[in-house]
């Protein structure tokens, strides 16, 4: 018996659950628009694609390919499964084939970059399967045998690798790549939305080094980037490569229709900090919805952020089913990364055959697993970006039928805002992938690496950004670079490229080690160690919980032991902030909005234990940790005493109003920048000594900044308007985790004035320029 249609299903789910269905969006099916092959595409290549079942390209593929072929830097930013690879493969493989057939054997070359080795190998296989013997394509990475390396450098025309290899091997050893680099026609940057924050800032510098070295060999390659959909693909890509990039974002591939429900679990009384109400957790709500759908016989996949959460959803659903219909208990399971391949395949098959009806999975399933043809998908909490959301929702929809997707809001300001503002989810969107390659902490090591590759000259400086000269001078002062008549030189013995760690900032990761066995459980960024692996912290490793016995700061080791606990821990800290300088400033009436450098001093002083499933507070323990200093970027806004009066705020009310506005604004920044609220911090004060006014700061949690605060400054009106809305539309009375309470608050969420925060933001936004 086929399951009921999505609309019927949704009304059955909503029956008896008053007001939880906040919105139902019908996302219509889209008919694909195919166009002719560009006439310059190599005929052998076109035949190979036609044989493989691609009759004609979609319009967005052809448009991006034409732009690249004309030498325009281009980013194709369309949905999952829209065939972004064909867009870059048309120009890239046409050039590579031409290169392979050149009379001297060395014509045009292409460099393909992917964030992971595995993806590069997948792409290599896909190119290989085209069956074009004259195409000399090869992956080149840490696993490439030595004997093949020289051949690839000398003869391959399509080389697939990753930014790490470019950074550590290809650029430092560029002489050996001279013939390849001299002919470099295209650089393909696949999955470029992954390059965000500090990692993106590093990769941005690696790409600038590549451009500099290539140009020394006379090559000016065209960049072709592929990205998930985002708010400002052209801006993000331009910043990543340091060139003007045009975007192709009109997806012309076909898709089925989806009924998309936005769902908000109900508030429950008390249990929260300071007696605040908390919402029923998204995990518990997802388990209930999964149970109901399984009873209806609807094949459902629930996406849950953590493995522990996925297991809790499956277990809770099974427990409920045991009471209703014991036959259904074994038709629900959890599925997570870490299963053996045969276990995964067995689960996949069971779900396909209908032997399993409900599965709770972690997001790991997003990538590379073949699970389609489901009837419904549950998203337990906002998955972070619209691209991830569509990727997960896209799992539903059997053979073109209407699919059901339900986004269950977590108890935080961003999820609350999103379920109440469907236009932010289904509209054109404002979230942008950001990075900041000019961050001196990131730029410095890359300038050393660049100087080691080829001496740096005055002409090289502009491509690395406006602050480059200052950073170079500082490197000279530290004895890392030397000034000589030909420019700045690296003259030290060690490898300059070792100074930059693309996947982290600075060295000194804190290792988390199992007590007794010495087994390494994981590593933690030193900036996060005090808050996440302090003595007494719960550390989760592959779904299992460990308790930290001791954090040794001298040796950068946290010792932990395995223990099943039903609580989580969160650190309590104190934070001071000092303004170092201003980068940008805008007047909003009498208010001021500023972007600049700050120094943050933070000290973790205690931690709080909470019940895992309900979030109820169990107790607080003191900690003795030294203060830490962070030089970073912040966005801040100040208001005058007159504005505070206009907002009806007495002196007494200001700290609570500003603090509540700060919390909610941290929660909402991911709406405009692809960061997590854990990547940023905030400070609010009724009177800040450096501004002389009531001030709210939001800062990047990484040394030097990662572009998030800067993006907040650029999109301030959208960001703070949404912040105001999120607070105002929450139905709690005095503040709760869905609006102004924060799980990472250093002050135990006190004082907080919900109503005051709305009035404060109103007077601030009254002066904001209309767009
Ligand atoms: Zn609330
Ligand atoms: Zn706070």
């Amino acid at each position: 018996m086929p399951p009921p249609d999505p609309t019927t299903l949704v009304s059955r789910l909503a029956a008896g659950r008053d007001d939880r269905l906040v919105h139902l969006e019908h996302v219509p099916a889209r008919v694909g628009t195919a166009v002719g092959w560009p006439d310059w595409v190599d005929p052998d290549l076109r035949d190979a694609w036609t044989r493989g079942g691609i009759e004609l390209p979609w319009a967005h593929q052809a448009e991006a390919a034409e732009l690249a072929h004309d030498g325009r830097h281009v980013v194709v930013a369309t949905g999952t499964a829209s065939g972004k690879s064909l867009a870059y493969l048309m120009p890239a493989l046409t050039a590579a084939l031409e290169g392979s057939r050149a009379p001297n054997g060395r014509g045009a070359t292409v460099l393909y970059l992917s964030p992971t080795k595995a993806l590069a190998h997948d792409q290599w296989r896909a190119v290989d399967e085209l069956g074009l013997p004259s195409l000399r394509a090869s992956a080149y990475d840490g696993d490439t045998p030595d004997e093949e390396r020289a051949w690839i450098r000398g003869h391959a025309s399509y080389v697939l690798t990753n930014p790490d290899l470019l950074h550590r091997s290809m650029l430092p050893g560029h002489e050996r790549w001279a013939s390849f680099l001299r002919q470099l026609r295209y650089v393909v940057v696949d999955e470029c939305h992954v390059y965000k924050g500090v990692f993106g800032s590093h990769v941005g510098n690696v790409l600038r080094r590549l451009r500099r070295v290539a140009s020394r060999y006379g090559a000016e390659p065209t960049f072709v980037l592929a990205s998930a959909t985002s708010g400002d693909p052209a801006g993000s890509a331009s910043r990543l490569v340091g060139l003007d990039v045009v975007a192709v974002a009109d997806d012309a591939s076909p898709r089925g229709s989806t009924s998309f429900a936005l769902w908000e679990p109900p508030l429950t009384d008390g249990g929260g900090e300071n007696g605040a109400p908390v919402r029923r957790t998204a995990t518990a709500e997802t388990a209930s919805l999964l149970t109901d759908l399984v009873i209806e016989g609807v094949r459902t996949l629930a996406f849950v952020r953590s493995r522990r959460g996925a297991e809790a959803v499956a277990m809770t659903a099974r427990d409920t089913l045991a009471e209703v219909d014991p036959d259904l208990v074994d038709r629900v399971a959890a599925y997570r990364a870490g299963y053996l391949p045969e276990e995964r395949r067995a689960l996949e098959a069971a779900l396909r055959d209908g032997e399993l009806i409900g599965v709770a999975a972690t997001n790991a399933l997003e990538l590379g697993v073949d699970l389609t043809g489901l009837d419904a998908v549950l998203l337990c909490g906002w998955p972070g970006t619209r691209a991830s959301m569509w990727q997960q929702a896209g799992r539903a929809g059997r053979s073109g039928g209407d699919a059901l997707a339900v986004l269950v809001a977590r108890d935080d300001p961003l999820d609350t805002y999103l379920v109440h503002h469907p236009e932010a989810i289904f509209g054109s969107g404002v979230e942008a992938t950001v990075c900041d390659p000019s961050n001196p902490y990131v730029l410095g090591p890359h300038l050393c690496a660049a100087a080691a590759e080829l001496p740096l000259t005055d002409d090289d400086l502009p491509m690395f950004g406006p602050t480059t000269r200052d950073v170079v001078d500082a490197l000279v002062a530290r004895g890392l670079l030397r000034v000589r008549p030909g420019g700045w030189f690296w003259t030290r013995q060690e490898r300059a490229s070792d100074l930059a760690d693309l996947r982290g900032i600075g060295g000194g990761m804190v290792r988390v080690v199992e007590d007794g066995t010495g087994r390494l459980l994981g590593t933690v960024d030193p900036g996060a160690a005090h808050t996440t692996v302090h003595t007494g912290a719960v550390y989760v490793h592959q779904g299992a919980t460990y308790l930290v016995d001791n954090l040794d700061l001298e040796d950068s080791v946290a010792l932990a032991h395995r223990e099943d606990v039903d609580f989580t821990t969160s650190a309590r800290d104190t934070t001071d902030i000092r303004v170092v300088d201003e980068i940008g400033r805008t007047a909003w009436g009498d208010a001021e909005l500023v972007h600049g450098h700050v120094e943050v001093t933070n000290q973790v002083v205690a931690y709080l234990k909470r019940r895992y499933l309900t979030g109820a507070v169990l107790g607080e323990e003191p900690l003795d940790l030294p203060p830490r200093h962070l030089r970073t970027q912040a966005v801040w806004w100040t208001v005058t005493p007159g504005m505070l009066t206009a907002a009806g705020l007495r002196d007494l009310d200001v700290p609570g109003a500003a603090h509540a506005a700060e919390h909610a604004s941290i929660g909402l920044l991911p709406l405009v920048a692809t960061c997590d609220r854990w990547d940023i911090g905030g400070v609010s004060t009724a009177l800040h000594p450096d501004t002389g006014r009531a001030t709210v700061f939001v800062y990047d949690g990484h040394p030097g900044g990662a572009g998030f605060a800067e993006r907040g400054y650029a999109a301030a009106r959208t960001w703070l308007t949404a912040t105001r809305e999120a607070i105002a539309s929450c139905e709690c009375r005095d503040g709760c985790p869905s609006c102004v309470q924060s799980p990472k608050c250093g002050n135990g969420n006190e004082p907080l004035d919900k109503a005051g925060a709305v009035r404060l933001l109103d007077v601030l936004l009254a002066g904001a320029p209309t767009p």
Side-chain angles (χ1 to χ4, degrees):
M1 193 181 68
D5 69 274
T7 320
T8 311
L9 269 180
V10 168
S11 54
R12 285 193 200 164
L13 291 176
R17 291 185 173 116
D18 289 343
D19 302 331
R20 298 189 200 180
L21 174 65
V22 186
H23 179 82
L24 182 62
E25 179 93 5
H26 182 72
V27 183
R30 184 177 55 213
V31 184
T33 309
V35 296
W37 293 99
D39 53 16
W40 45 260
V41 172
D42 187 282
D44 291 349
L45 196 51
R46 204 179 50 208
D47 292 347
W49 276 320
T50 315
R51 274 197 307 277
I54 302 174
E55 288 296 328
L56 290 169
W58 304 117
H60 64 276
Q61 296 170 325
E63 186 190 352
E66 288 284 8
L67 284 162
H69 184 253
D70 288 346
R72 300 282 301 276
H73 309 294
V74 60
V75 56
V76 50
T78 51
T80 315
S82 62
K84 289 187 282 268
S85 57
L86 192 70
Y88 59 73
L89 286 175
M90 282 191 258
L93 292 184
T94 297
L97 277 168
E98 191 189 303
S100 298
R101 291 170 191 146
N104 66 354
R106 210 56 175 131
T109 59
V110 176
L111 183 65
Y112 166 94
L113 298 171
S114 86
T116 63
K117 259 194 297 202
L119 178 62
H121 279 261
D122 283 351
Q123 291 295 315
W124 182 24
R125 210 170 302 125
V127 166
D128 219 33
E129 282 165 5
L130 289 171
L132 298 167
S134 55
L135 183 66
R136 292 200 296 265
S138 184
Y140 190 101
D141 53 42
D143 300 337
T144 310
D146 277 346
E147 58 275 21
E148 284 176 28
R149 292 183 167 225
W151 182 89
I152 295 170
R153 289 194 298 262
H155 302 281
S157 52
Y158 191 79
V159 172
L160 303 98
T161 186
N162 53 65
D164 307 75
L165 187 118
L166 196 55
H167 166 63
R168 295 206 168 276
S169 162
M170 195 169 182
L171 290 171
H174 62 85
E175 290 94 346
R176 292 181 301 167
W177 287 89
S179 77
F180 179 87
L181 290 168
R182 199 168 283 130
Q183 299 291 345
L184 189 58
R185 177 87 57 88
Y186 294 108
V187 177
V188 176
V189 185
D190 203 359
E191 301 280 343
C192 69
H193 54 276
V194 171
Y195 305 126
K196 64 183 182 191
V198 175
F199 181 42
S201 309
H202 276 295
V203 173
N205 278 299
V206 172
L207 294 175
R208 283 159 179 75
R209 284 162 50 204
L210 170 66
R211 284 170 45 208
R212 191 178 80 109
V213 166
S215 100
R216 216 52 77 90
Y217 289 99
E220 301 285 344
T222 300
F223 282 77
V224 192
L225 302 95
S227 166
T229 49
S230 91
D232 179 18
S236 301
S238 300
R239 178 174 275 224
L240 181 67
V241 300
L243 295 163
D244 277 340
V245 179
V246 290
V248 172
D250 276 334
D251 196 330
S253 64
R255 69 158 182 230
S257 67
T258 308
S259 290
F260 215 122
L262 304 183
W263 196 270
E264 185 173 48
L267 279 180
T268 58
D269 279 341
E273 214 161 61
N274 314 323
V278 289
R279 277 183 202 284
R280 186 164 191 244
T281 62
T283 318
E285 189 76 3
T286 303
S288 302
L289 293 173
L290 180 64
T291 307
D292 285 12
L293 289 166
V294 167
I295 292 170
E296 294 276 359
V298 178
R299 279 184 219 178
T300 307
L301 181 58
F303 280 105
V304 189
R305 268 206 175 176
S306 68
R307 172 164 151 182
R308 193 175 169 192
E311 278 162 6
V313 165
M315 204 185 306
T316 310
R318 287 166 63 106
D319 287 350
T320 318
L321 287 168
E323 292 163 22
V324 185
D325 184 351
D327 289 347
L328 289 174
V329 171
D330 289 331
R331 301 183 74 182
V332 175
Y335 182 117
R336 49 172 166 74
Y339 278 163
L340 296 170
E342 50 272 28
E343 292 174 310
R344 309 181 86 175
R345 273 194 296 275
L347 259 164
E348 283 164 21
L351 196 58
R352 243 189 326 265
D353 302 347
E355 191 186 317
L356 270 180
I357 310 176
V359 170
T362 56
N363 299 0
L365 198 65
E366 252 183 43
L367 301 165
V369 176
D370 182 29
L371 260 192
T372 47
L374 297 149
D375 302 314
V377 166
L378 300 172
L379 284 69
C380 181
W382 174 246
T385 61
R386 295 191 312 147
S388 301
M389 182 199 77
W390 285 119
Q391 200 150 22
Q392 296 180 1
R395 297 279 180 183
R398 247 197 276 186
S399 61
D402 195 24
L404 173 65
V406 183
L407 169 63
V408 181
R410 263 194 311 258
D411 196 8
D412 70 40
L414 182 63
D415 284 29
T416 306
Y417 176 81
L418 288 168
V419 293
H420 289 281
H421 293 81
E423 73 283 0
I425 296 178
F426 304 107
S428 57
V430 285
E431 93 201 353
T433 308
V434 295
C435 64
D436 181 10
S438 66
N439 174 347
Y441 291 86
V442 176
L443 177 56
H446 287 283
L447 289 172
C448 292
E453 283 148 18
L454 292 163
L456 271 176
T457 66
D458 276 323
D459 292 346
D460 293 328
L461 304 189
M463 82 185 317
F464 290 100
T467 60
T468 308
R469 182 57 201 256
D470 294 343
V471 178
V472 167
D473 289 344
L475 294 170
V476 171
R478 285 169 57 200
L480 289 165
L481 293 182
R482 282 208 186 158
V483 195
R484 287 191 182 156
W488 290 274
F489 286 72
W490 174 262
T491 56
R492 296 163 69 108
Q493 287 302 308
E494 66 261 41
R495 284 167 57 92
S497 55
D498 286 347
L499 295 180
D501 172 9
L502 299 199
R503 313 256 172 183
I505 193 155
M509 297 295 277
V510 174
R511 290 170 299 130
V512 186
V513 171
E514 187 173 35
D515 215 350
T517 67
R519 188 163 68 100
L520 180 68
L521 300 172
T523 58
V524 176
D525 192 273
H530 289 219
T531 47
T532 56
V533 290
H534 55 76
T535 303
V538 174
Y539 180 79
V540 182
H541 171 66
Q542 295 198 342
T545 52
Y546 291 77
L547 270 184
V548 176
D549 301 313
N550 181 41
L551 169 60
D552 182 338
L553 293 167
E554 301 238 306
D555 290 340
S556 296
V557 170
L559 285 176
H561 70 272
R562 176 83 180 84
E563 188 170 325
D564 282 320
V565 293
D566 65 346
F567 60 89
T568 61
T569 51
S570 53
R572 288 278 174 256
D573 56 9
T574 60
T575 307
D576 283 318
I577 197 161
R578 188 173 68 79
V579 173
V580 176
D581 62 26
E582 295 185 2
I583 301 167
R585 169 198 282 254
T586 315
W588 280 10
D590 288 340
E592 270 172 353
L593 192 80
V594 189
H595 165 221
H597 291 102
V598 293
E599 182 165 291
V600 181
T601 303
N602 172 277
Q603 185 168 21
V604 172
V605 293
Y607 69 95
L608 211 66
K609 290 171 155 181
R610 291 166 194 274
R611 179 89 56 209
Y612 175 65
L613 214 53
T614 62
V617 175
L618 300 172
E620 182 167 342
E621 303 286 335
L623 286 169
D624 182 22
L625 286 161
R628 290 164 306 147
H629 304 282
L630 172 72
R631 216 24 121 85
T632 185
Q633 292 186 30
V635 51
W636 63 94
W637 46 273
T638 69
V639 291
T640 61
M643 293 171 71
L644 294 172
T645 310
L649 293 169
R650 297 163 302 165
D651 286 356
L652 210 71
D653 307 326
V654 179
H659 189 202
E662 172 218 321
H663 279 185
S665 68
I666 291 173
L668 268 295
L669 188 59
L671 183 71
V672 295
T674 50
C675 58
D676 192 273
R677 72 167 156 177
W678 302 95
D679 290 332
I680 44 186
V683 176
S684 54
T685 157
L687 179 67
H688 193 274
D690 296 335
T691 65
R693 291 179 174 189
T695 310
V696 173
F697 294 87
V698 173
Y699 61 87
D700 281 359
H702 304 278
F708 305 133
E710 185 184 355
R711 172 70 188 160
Y713 177 72
R717 192 174 174 279
T718 307
W719 166 44
L720 294 170
T721 303
T723 302
R724 188 243 173 241
E725 282 302 301
I727 306 172
S729 65
C730 186
E731 77 265 30
C732 72
R733 205 179 55 138
D734 298 319
C736 73
S738 283
C739 54
V740 298
Q741 285 197 343
S742 163
K744 54 182 273 196
C745 179
N747 295 322
N749 282 303
E750 279 190 323
L752 287 178
D753 179 346
K754 179 184 172 185
V758 173
R759 296 201 304 274
L760 179 60
L761 286 163
D762 279 338
V763 294
L764 172 73
L765 287 160
T770 37

